[in-house]
Amino acid sequence: MPATDKSDRTRTSVTEQEALDFHSQGRPGKLEISPTKPMATQRDLSLAYSPGVAVPVKAIAEDPATAYDYTARGNMVAVISNGTAILGLGNLGALASKPVMEGKSVLFKRFADVDSIDLEVDTENVDEFINCVRFLGPSFGGINLEDIKAPDCFIIEQRLREVMDIPVFHDDQHGTAIIAAAGLINALTLTGRDFKTTKLVCNGAGAAAIACIELIKAMGFNPQNIILCDTKGVIFKGRTEGMNQWKSAHAVETDRRTLAEAVEGADVFFGLSAKGALSPDMVRSLAPKPIIFAMANPDPEITPEEVAQIRDDAIVATGRSDYPNQVNNVLGFPYIFRGALDVRASTINDAMKIAAAEALASLAKEDVPDDVAAAYQGNRPRFGAQYIIPVPFDPRLISAIPMAVAKAAMETGVARKPITDLNAYGQQLSARRDPIASTLQRIYERVRRQPKRIVFAEGEEVQMMRSAIAYANQQLGTAILLGREEQMRETAEREGIDLDRPGIQIVNARLSKRVGAYTDFLYARLQRKGYLFRDVQRLINNDRNHFAASMVALGDADGMVTGLTRNYSTALEDVRRCIDAKPGHRVIGVSIALCRGRTVLVADTAVHDMPSAEELADIAEEAAGLAKRLGYVPRVAMLAYSTFGHPSGERSERVREAVKILDRRRVDFEYDGEMAADVALNHRVMEQYPFCRLSGTANVLVMPAFHSASISTKMLQELGGSTVIGPLLVGFDKSVQIVSMSAKDSDIVNLAAIAAYNAGT
Ligand SMILES: NC(=O)C1=CN([C@@H]2O[C@H](COP(=O)(O)OP(=O)(O)OC[C@H]3O[C@@H](n4cnc5c(N)ncnc54)[C@H](OP(=O)(O)O)[C@@H]3O)[C@@H](O)[C@H]2O)C=CC1
Ligand SMILES: CC(=O)C(=O)O
Ligand SMILES: [Mg+2]
């Protein structure tokens, strides 16, 4: 069953099962802690722990500021909740809030390289909560409070800000307020309005709503023009029911009593309440060119589709990522803390919040450069009704927002470690971008523009079905599930998978009218390789890989993905019976390893066992070609155990010869070798070889043999904490990808997207 309404089914959406699998697959949850120092030897232990650790202990006791030098504190934020207002789902308790809090923590890391841990505090008692948190100050550089209901959150935040000397920031209040204010600035500009005369109604008078209203008032919005509503209706002066001091502060003189009355003729609607709170009639009654920010999560007060059915002059934003104009605090909290931590701010004040809102608003007005367009799924946006605010994947955010926040902190005297070189700071911020995310983004974006038919050869496997659905849901094209339809449907029903959805096609190999064509095609290829016609018939009838590869070979599909049920080399052999290398190319496997913000391509991780010098040169060319297609400028290191002749040995000879072959071929990319891995990857070690022709550390590593390629990528993954994508097959005449038997759904979808990408370029 989809996690969203039926009306949302055509959107890029996820199913409930996908959401559960995402959280449970592999190591349950979304976070783990990994050490930053080696912990291997007795010496390491003596330094990290007793007796060595005593030295920083004494230094910190003497000068507390040195905690930022000797511990992780300065880059560590706690995400803390008691689960009393989880998104718009209400009070579901501390434990149930953990997925959201883990999510916030990974967003801190992903978007702004801030380390973060979630803490769920199991009390609804305000004093207990405050006491629990206040003593945690020494552990963290900042505290991000999350999903705590109003009015408790106001008291908690206020008291913690008084007693703690690090930033305490209730994200639902200020994060939301900053993003909503940025969106509002732009929506007002687009509709020719200003802060003085615009009339705004805010539904919801809790954490997020009160903070939004306070921030826009602080920015100059006319207080007389704001009406606040809650479950009891309009908050008017003199109301007694369901009131508190924070609501009273915003009560106005009015004879309107219900939300319907309040919104009549209003210019702006802010929804920070609950799903469906704004009715079609209310939308009808808003002023011309209304601004509707329906920000409740996960389901907004009204959907953009519903608004579109009523009127076409509205600017609509929601808190969701699957509609244009996502007004969600994810655009703020990672970057705001990044800036605050970088100047060791003692607090996050109004000036810093306003600076963040203004920086965000201006970013949306700027032209979207090429390398940023990918974040917008190919629809390079122009400032306008459908684009009033950047998306969370916009890589410019990491430079723009922390810079604005840090500057404002310095200007207002709350920066304990002001930045002296802002240019250098800007470069450091850009370096925190995760390069592969933009690469994958680019791939997905290109495929969305030119959707492709990808056959999932092992269509009866539950994991393939789920991946196919994810492929179709992300609008990458048609996912063709190959297999016996009856079996597939039985499994799908048992697993709660809905196969009757747009973008999913089932092909039953046995009943296909194309069996004859595929058999003739394959027989023509194999008849002189020891296969009888009936052998080929059996391959097409019984073997999904041969059927799928023939579909691709004859143009009935654009690409294929397989590998879950059969070991890699067997699947590869199956495919090679049907599809050749592209003329002038060699089929190789390239793995993409991502580690600590660095991406390297490793080749050949799939095909050649002990490549000759000639083959190594081909591998370098294929891998460099892929690197270019992914947007990198390749710097290829031909790896060996030796570096430039030392120690000398027969096995490095092939690698040296491969370098000479590349010289003769006059290839148009940087390469050098033979060299050891540390020379290739560590610029200080590389500097010992001033004649080395690489202009920087290598981003493509050509391994001397399959065993070293396979061993090193697997070790990177298991021991080094790297994410490894692939191997990606390159060099085939048609687009084929093979996953490993242990692949997760996300690996399969990534490779299917890559198959689609390769099919189109
Ligand atoms: N897009 C974004 O970035 C963010 C969105 N939000 C969303 O805002 C909403 C509120 O969150 P938060 O402020 O943290 O929660 P709180 O519990 O602090 O406040 C909820 C408020 O909404 C009011 N409310 C609830 N249902 C209705 C309704 N049907 N009609 C009118 N008012 C209603 C409550 O009224 P009463 O006071 O009478 O109980 C209360 O004032 C959630 O949906 C949340 O997901 C929150 C933070 C960020
Ligand atoms: C986005 C968010 O923090 C919320 O909806 O609560
Ligand atoms: Mg929240």
Side-chain angles (χ1 to χ4, degrees), residues 136-354:
L136 296 174
S139 314
F140 303 107
I143 302 286
N144 182 89
L145 299 171
E146 191 68 45
D147 290 1
I148 302 168
K149 73 172 170 13
D152 300 359
C153 60
F154 303 125
I155 304 165
I156 288 171
E157 192 198 39
Q158 181 56 35
R159 297 244 296 269
L160 288 175
R161 281 169 68 98
E162 282 161 17
V163 296
M164 297 183 84
D165 67 348
I166 52 174
V168 176
F169 179 89
H170 182 204
D171 176 39
D172 296 287
Q173 292 185 56
H174 315 298
T176 317
I178 290 164
I179 315 310
L184 183 64
I185 293 172
N186 284 345
L188 293 181
T189 306
L190 286 166
T191 54
R193 294 182 169 105
D194 61 30
F195 270 21
K196 291 278 168 260
T197 54
T198 301
K199 292 188 163 44
L200 182 149
V201 173
C202 179
N203 196 45
I210 298 278
C212 283
I213 297 312
E214 282 179 355
L215 185 66
I216 62 168
K217 283 186 184 174
M219 293 170 80
F221 206 99
N222 184 350
Q224 301 311 315
N225 289 342
I226 298 178
I227 297 181
L228 210 52
C229 298
D230 61 10
T231 54
K232 310 279 183 301
V234 170
I235 296 178
F236 55 90
K237 271 214 162 81
R239 195 183 104 172
T240 51
E241 198 190 0
M243 292 297 281
N244 59 42
Q245 69 183 86
W246 294 273
K247 291 181 183 178
S248 300
H250 301 284
V252 286
E253 299 279 5
T254 175
D255 50 10
R256 302 187 186 209
R257 290 293 176 264
T258 63
L259 177 63
E261 289 167 12
V263 293
E264 221 182 305
D267 302 301
V268 183
F269 170 81
F270 267 16
L272 288 153
S273 50
K275 175 182 179 178
L278 192 69
S279 71
D281 278 343
M282 295 179 196
V283 172
R284 241 170 243 122
S285 76
L286 291 167
K289 295 195 202 158
I291 297 164
I292 302 173
F293 286 6
M295 295 175 275
N297 284 317
D299 298 301
E301 283 77 3
I302 191 158
T303 65
E305 289 97 332
E306 288 165 331
V307 174
Q309 278 170 12
I310 300 157
R311 55 195 302 168
D312 59 11
D313 62 344
I315 293 182
V316 187
T318 69
R320 293 168 59 124
S321 57
D322 49 358
Y323 289 111
N325 295 334
Q326 182 183 17
V327 173
N328 190 302
N329 50 32
V330 63
L331 280 167
F333 66 83
Y335 308 108
I336 291 161
F337 270 96
R338 177 76 275 149
L341 292 173
D342 289 340
V343 293
R344 288 189 201 159
S346 54
T347 185
I348 294 172
N349 58 26
D350 272 0
M352 292 156 80
K353 292 181 215 161
I354 293 171

